Each structure stands twice: as structure tokens, then as C-alpha cells.
Amino acid sequence: MPAQTLLRKRRAAAEFFHPPGGRTTYLVGALCRHALAAAVTALCAAASWAAQAGPAPALETWTYRVQRGEHLFGIAQKMLAEPHDWRRLQRLNRITAPRRLQPGQAVQLPVAWLRGDAAQAEVTQVVGQVLVRGGAARDGNLLSAQDTLETRADSSAMLRFADGSQLRVSPASRITLEQAQVLRGSGQAVQVMRLQQGEVESQVRREPPRPRFEIRSPVLRLGARGTEFRAAFDGASRTGQAAVDQGHVEARSDQPADKTPGTLLSDGFGVTATAQGLSRPLELLPAAPLATTSLIIERLPVRLRWTALTSAVPVGSPWQAQVLASTGDAGRPAPLVAERRGSEAEVDFGALPDGRYRLRLRAVDAQGLAGREAALAFVVAARPEPPFLSAPARDAVLVGARAPLAWARSSAAARYRLQIAASADFAAPTQDLRDLEATEASIELAPGRWFWRLAGVRADGHQGPWSDVQTFEQRSDPPPAAPSAPGAQTGSDGALRFRFSAGQPGDRYEFQLAGLADGTSSFDKPLLERHSATPELLLDGLEPGTYQLRARVIDARGVAGPWGPSGSFEVPRASAWWWLPALVLLLLI
């Protein structure tokens, strides 16, 4: 305890228990003081009435009930921040015998005089990377006076104070808890925050005793009791903002040189502040009309669009779009999981996890104030992501009694569900296979046009969204016949020409060339693939070695026939006789 405070307490106690001049002098003096105070009060009241001035604002008090054996100084020492204020307390309550109080007697204690007991704020939500006192924050961390909390990009945190008031810290923000107290006896809380960067949202307790709740930035000071409001500060431009969503907030400049009075903001209004002072109260822009009331998103990334206002909001105005996760608990604020700003009426939130969310959208005016909130509930149900359909190709023609289908494996899926239907709405699927583990299936189908789709299923049985629908045609006509083995001819230019047996008019031909090593060839990774309108193929510039060549026919319907028999051929190495005369000539020289 500081020496000066201790000295004041001792002096107050000495004056209370040993008043100068003795007890009689003290009582006479007390009576005189009370009489003088009453006379002054009457004169002031008369003067006020004569001047028709409004009454002075009432001093907010809290009623204290005297316990047996208590006296006024003991009450002051226990309840007041400054014990020597017992004199003012005596005058306020018109107590003539401060050392002989009756049990149960009511003593009015001004709230502004009460002693504050240190309190803490609890971190109740952490999303992303949040720092407290320089270390990683987690749910349940406690903040004391002078502790700092910082959120990084795409991160947020929620603080809950001793009286139940709450503060959401938006992404890329930094705030210090300057003061956290609970006034002794009354239970009234005092919370003062210093906003150094970013944005915060406050939900202040409305039920009595209402707290003293302040948010200060380098240019703006905000005080509220029982309200919802937002505060922001941009360190680069040294600009502060406040917007009231519900209730009232007192706003005034935090610049010592600015002597202008503050302003009272009602819900739906805001203010901006710079080093030059406060703006006038500004009406917030209205909520943006959203096209739908709910939405299910089955494809990533999560992209949301809305309808821009043209009358109340200027075209091209920027937007603040926030995504809050639904917790399912009405008493717990929803965590803020993402925030974007831009001027387009569309926003990309990337790969949000599956779950229920709420889009909160505000238009931003020319002064940087975010307006009224518009909300859109949506659900992300995009996992497991649908597999990629690899075969058959879109609108392919398949020949025969069975349709071979194939798709890419999904790492998040334990099995797959396949549907085939005669209509794109899949109202009555012909095939509905729910427990496919492989990435291919051969399905017997009648001739006709078919639609098919696929969905991944997790090990716990949760099915993801359907893939895009693809179509193919199944035909019973026989495929084109396979061509015969090729015959090779060597031209005068050394190029190899191959000719296969011709098919029907309108047919096309596909050729594959593979290397032959150790008596085996691999057409899985052909060296060359080529298409032609004629059954002829010209090869030039091949490296020496042994090769195999095969072909198949693709008819006018697009149906590919089987591969024909492969033929092998060899490209020999070049002869070395040409350098012998040069060697003989060199030896003769």
C-alpha cells in the first residue's frame, strides 16, 4: 500500500475516533455543519428554481445495510476507494452519529466512490491463431489488467467479463485490457479496453447493475451501458470508427487538445474520429437484400453472391462479409471463422469445413462505417468430395450389353454409391449401387441414352455430394471389325509406310507404336499415338531398334472396335562401310 494512502487512512481514522476539541465540540460542529449544509442546499435550490435551470444529475448510489457493531468509518474503509471520504458520506446520508449506527440502517454509497476489486476476462472462443501475452491462446485463458490479446488474419476470439458482458475480437486486431474491476458490494463491473488495431464487437450487460464499459483507441473514446456496438481503429490512417447496433453509446474524442463535448449515438448511427476530432453522427447504410434465406453448398470453394443495392447504397460501395459458425447453443455467441472485404457483390471463403454457418453482410460507406447487418444461413456439405468420372467420356457411345464405368479414387471415401437412370433428375434410377469399393464397375444395360453419377461415402456412413451428371449411349450394334496386321514398305526417302485393311466409308483409324524389348511390348505407355482418316501411317526418324505397331477402327458413330493384331519391325543401325576409303587414304599419307 502506498505511504500516502496509508497516511490518509490513519488521519481519517484519527479524526473519526478522536475529533479535534473533544466529542462535545465534534457534535456541535457536526450540527453546525449540517445546518450550514441545509441552508446552502436550500439557497441553491431557490436559485436554481429562479433561474429555471434543470435539476443537477442525480448521483448514482447503492444501498448498504449496516451490520451490528459497524460505524461509518469502518464502512468507508471497507467499501470506499478513499476511506477519508467518510465525511462526505456522512453529509450525503445526513448522519448525526457516525459512530452509533443502527443494525439494518440504510447508507447510500455513491457508485463512483466504491472500491474496485480486481477481476479478469475469460477467453471463451479461439479461432485460428490468437496470441495472449505473446503466447498461443486457448479457450479458458484468463486476462488480467494490462494483458494484450492479438488475432492474426482469419482468426478471432471472444472474451467474457465478470458481469457476463462479451467482446468479439475480429481478425487482424490487437486489444489491451486496461482495467477490469468489480465494485465492492454493488457487483457493478468496470471494464476498460484499449483498441490499438482492428475491430471489436461489444455485447454489454443490460440487466442491473449495469457495468461501466469503455473502449478507447488513440482517437476515440466510447462508453456504453447495456448495448451492442462496434469499434474500429486503423493504425495506418489513424482513423477510429464506432457503430451502434442496439442501445446508446457516448462517443468523444480521445485527443487531449480536443475540448469539444462528446455525442450520444443511438442505434443505427455511427461516428468517425481522427486527430482533428469527431464527425457528426452518421446514419448507417441499410442491410443488403439477399437473394435467398438459406443455401446448401456442395462444391468447394465456398462462393457467395448477393444483390447490390442501387438506391440506398451507391454502386461499387465496398462490403464487409463475415462467416459465423453455428454452435447450436442459443446462449453462446457464434464464432467468427472468416472475414472478407471487397467491392464486388461476391466473395470467396475458400474450403470451409462442413457445417452450418451464417453469412453476415454489411455495406461500407465512404467514411468507412460498416452499415446494418443482413444475414443468410447456409450449410456446407461438400465432403467427401465427389470422385472424378474418368470413363466413359461425356456423350460417348458404348457398344454391347455392358457399360464399363470408371472413376478416380477419393482419399476421403471408404466406398462409393453409383446411380444410373434414364432421366437427368434420377427420379427412378435403374441402378443404385451403394457399397462399391473398387473404382470401376461393369453394368449390364439395355440400349438407350443413360445418365450416371457417383458419390463418396465415409467410413461412418456419411454420404458426400453427387458428382456432375454424365451421359452416354448404349448400343447393341456390333463394333467395327479389327484391321489386319500391317504391311510395311520403305520409300526412297527411307521413311516407313504401313498400310492396314480398310474399313467402311466414314471410318477413322487409331494407331499405337510401342517399343519391343526382351520379346515383350508395352502398349500401356505407347511411344506414339496417332489418328488418321485413312488406314495408312508414315513413320520417319525412328531410333534403331525393334518396334510393334497396332491399329483399330473407329466408326462414324464414334464406336471404337477392338485392337487388331500387332506387327513387329526393326529399324537397323546405319552401315559403317563409308569410312573405310577415308581410312585407307589416311594410311597412305
Side-chain angles (χ1 to χ4, degrees):
M1 181 181 298
Q4 292 181 349
T5 303
L6 182 60
L7 182 61
R8 285 197 300 269
K9 288 186 175 183
R10 288 178 177 175
R11 186 178 300 164
E15 292 180 359
F16 182 83
F17 291 105
H18 306 286
R23 178 174 299 179
T24 303
T25 304
Y26 170 75
L27 292 176
V28 172
L31 290 173
C32 293
R33 285 193 296 270
H34 281 301
L36 180 61
V40 171
T41 301
L43 289 174
C44 291
S48 175
W49 178 267
Q52 295 184 355
L59 188 63
E60 183 180 3
T61 62
W62 172 72
T63 302
Y64 177 83
R65 295 293 176 180
V66 177
Q67 305 297 315
R68 183 178 298 276
E70 285 189 316
H71 47 69
L72 194 61
F73 179 73
I75 295 173
Q77 189 176 35
K78 180 173 66 174
M79 303 302 300
L80 302 187
E82 296 293 341
H84 68 272
D85 281 344
W86 69 267
R87 298 188 196 88
R88 290 199 295 166
L89 196 60
Q90 179 185 3
R91 291 193 296 270
L92 179 68
N93 288 272
R94 300 182 180 182
I95 297 174
T96 58
R99 289 181 292 184
R100 291 194 301 271
L101 303 179
Q102 298 300 318
Q105 180 178 345
V107 178
Q108 300 300 318
L109 304 181
V111 173
W113 301 358
L114 291 176
R115 175 178 296 181
D117 295 321
Q120 293 178 309
E122 181 185 4
V123 180
T124 57
Q125 291 176 2
V126 173
V127 177
Q129 190 175 6
V130 180
L131 303 178
V132 172
R133 297 183 292 272
R138 63 180 184 274
D139 291 359
N141 282 151
L142 296 177
L143 272 66
S144 302
Q146 306 308 316
D147 283 344
T148 297
L149 183 142
E150 182 178 358
T151 60
R152 300 294 174 84
D154 280 339
S155 303
S156 67
M158 181 71 72
L159 298 179
R160 184 172 59 207
F161 299 95
D163 65 336
S165 297
Q166 301 190 84
L167 183 80
R168 175 182 284 118
V169 186
S170 296
S173 300
R174 180 182 177 88
I175 192 166
T176 298
L177 181 61
E178 288 195 340
Q179 186 178 359
Q181 292 182 335
V182 176
L183 299 183
R184 184 166 296 185
S186 70
Q188 187 179 41
V190 178
Q191 283 102 211
V192 180
M193 279 71 64
R194 171 67 64 174
L195 177 60
Q196 293 134 319
Q197 177 63 40
E199 183 176 4
V200 294
E201 301 175 45
S202 305
Q203 297 178 4
V204 186
R205 174 190 172 101
R206 295 181 175 86
E207 299 79 13
R210 293 182 176 179
R212 175 187 158 203
F213 194 96
E214 291 187 14
I215 295 179
R216 303 171 181 174
S217 70
V219 294
L220 184 61
R221 181 174 293 193
L222 305 170
R225 289 191 177 185
T227 188
E228 295 183 9
F229 69 102
R230 293 168 272 134
F233 177 71
D234 182 9
S237 63
R238 305 293 292 178
T239 302
Q241 290 142 358
V244 181
D245 296 316
Q246 193 173 77
H248 297 82
V249 171
E250 182 185 5
R252 53 194 173 96
S253 174
D254 205 26
Q255 298 295 308
D258 189 353
K259 304 302 183 183
T260 58
T263 181
L264 187 64
L265 299 175
S266 302
D267 58 315
F269 284 83
V271 71
T272 63
T274 63
Q276 287 69 43
L278 295 180
S279 71
R280 59 178 178 81
L282 305 168
E283 187 173 2
L284 303 180
L285 291 177
L290 296 174
T292 58
T293 56
S294 62
L295 192 65
I296 298 178
I297 298 174
E298 294 184 335
R299 292 289 187 275
L300 299 177
V302 176
R303 289 190 177 95
L304 300 174
R305 299 177 179 85
W306 56 87
T307 303
L309 289 173
T310 56
S311 56
V313 178
V315 176
S317 294
W319 304 87
Q320 179 193 52
Q322 297 176 326
V323 168
L324 291 85
S326 176
T327 61
D329 184 358
R332 183 184 182 192
L336 174 61
V337 299
E339 179 178 289
R340 302 287 187 271
R341 291 176 181 261
S343 57
E344 300 294 331
E346 178 182 3
V347 67
D348 186 339
F349 286 107
L352 291 177
D354 284 5
R356 296 181 176 274
Y357 297 92
R358 182 166 64 93
L359 170 67
R360 192 167 62 179
L361 183 68
R362 296 186 178 102
V364 180
D365 64 15
Q367 289 74 33
L369 278 174
R372 295 262 190 190
E373 169 188 318
L376 171 67
F378 68 95
V379 176
V380 177
R383 296 170 180 86
E385 296 185 50
F388 172 74
L389 307 184
S390 56
R394 185 179 299 274
D395 297 325
V397 178
L398 306 181
V399 176
R402 305 186 72 85
L405 308 176
W407 53 90
R409 183 172 297 279
S410 171
S411 59
R415 54 188 185 276
Y416 306 95
R417 182 180 179 185
L418 170 67
Q419 283 189 342
I420 301 177
S423 60
D425 60 4
F426 289 85
T430 304
Q431 299 284 340
D432 190 353
L433 307 178
R434 298 173 178 266
D435 293 308
L436 296 175
E437 296 184 357
T439 58
E440 58 184 18
S442 179
I443 310 298
E444 185 174 355
L445 291 173
R449 185 173 183 80
W450 297 100
F451 301 83
W452 73 297
R453 63 182 183 179
L454 201 72
V457 181
R458 290 200 309 242
D460 61 3
H462 174 77
Q463 178 181 314
W466 292 105
S467 67
D468 293 335
V469 177
Q470 287 199 12
T471 62
F472 63 90
E473 185 179 353
Q474 191 77 21
R475 291 187 177 180
S476 58
D477 303 348
S484 61
Q489 293 181 350
T490 304
S492 58
D493 54 359
L496 295 175
R497 289 179 174 82
F498 296 89
R499 181 174 180 83
F500 297 81
S501 58
Q504 302 297 320
D507 288 349
R508 295 182 58 82
Y509 303 87
E510 181 180 3
F511 307 102
Q512 283 188 345
L513 178 70
L516 183 63
D518 300 328
T520 60
S521 62
S522 175
F523 284 102
D524 293 336
K525 298 181 180 179
L527 301 176
L528 178 144
E529 287 185 306
R530 190 172 296 175
H531 290 79
S532 174
T534 64
E536 295 183 356
L537 177 64
L538 176 65
L539 296 177
D540 191 12
L542 294 177
E543 296 291 333
T546 304
Y547 299 90
Q548 279 200 325
L549 181 67
R550 68 178 184 177
R552 65 177 178 179
V553 178
I554 303 175
D555 63 17
R557 303 168 299 174
V559 177
W563 290 102
S566 60
S568 60
F569 64 93
E570 184 175 356
V571 177
R573 297 184 179 276
S575 176
W577 63 268
W578 57 270
W579 55 268
L580 290 178
L583 179 61
V584 172
L585 179 61
L586 182 62
L587 293 175
L588 291 177
I589 296 175

